[in-house]
């Protein structure tokens, strides 16, 4: 599990609809990344949750990949890169929403 990151953004105006949109966009980004980068066809599962708790926003990205050739492919590396890709994207989107307040 990744370490929590503090962005110090104003999130008071982020609505449940925006949180749902962020979760959907993150799932799309992860799926797209894995489809484009996995060297062999594999199955993957993606769970994204976005929750608002007081003055913080908790985002959970859970990715699992199942495929063959485990002796040749480090699937964990692809999972980490996909999560980093989505995390950067989400941070940019949150900055956009925060600057609009």
């Amino acid at each position: 599990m990744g370490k929590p990151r503090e962005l110090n953004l104003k999130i008071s105006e982020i609505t449940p609809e925006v949180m749902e949109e962020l979760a959907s966009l993150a799932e799309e980004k992860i799926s797209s990344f894995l489809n484009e980068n996995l060297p062999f066809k594999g199955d993957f599962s993606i769970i994204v949750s976005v929750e608002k708790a007081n003055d913080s926003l908790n985002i959970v990205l859970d990715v699992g990949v199942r495929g063959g050739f485990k002796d040749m492919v480090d699937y964990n590396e692809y999972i980490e890169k996909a999560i980093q890709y989505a995390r950067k994207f989400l941070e940019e989107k949150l900055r956009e929403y925060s600057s609009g307040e």
Side-chain angles (χ1 to χ4, degrees), residues 54-68:
N54 299 322
D55 289 336
S56 67
L57 197 64
N58 299 320
I59 301 173
V60 176
L61 305 172
D62 184 19
V63 180
V65 176
R66 194 174 50 184

Side-chain angles (χ1 to χ4, degrees), residues 25-38 44-46 48 61-65 74-90:
L25 289 170
E27 186 175 347
E28 288 175 22
K29 290 291 182 182
I30 292 169
S31 179
S32 173
F33 181 90
L34 292 174
N35 279 323
E36 292 174 13
N37 291 286
L38 283 175
F44 50 85
S45 63
I46 303 167
V48 179
L61 305 172
D62 184 19
V63 180
V65 176
D74 181 4
Y75 289 106
N76 287 330
E77 181 180 332
Y78 288 96
I79 291 170
E80 288 176 29
K81 287 181 180 180
I83 289 173
Q84 288 173 0
Y85 178 68
R87 188 175 186 167
K88 286 179 184 178
F89 171 79
L90 287 172

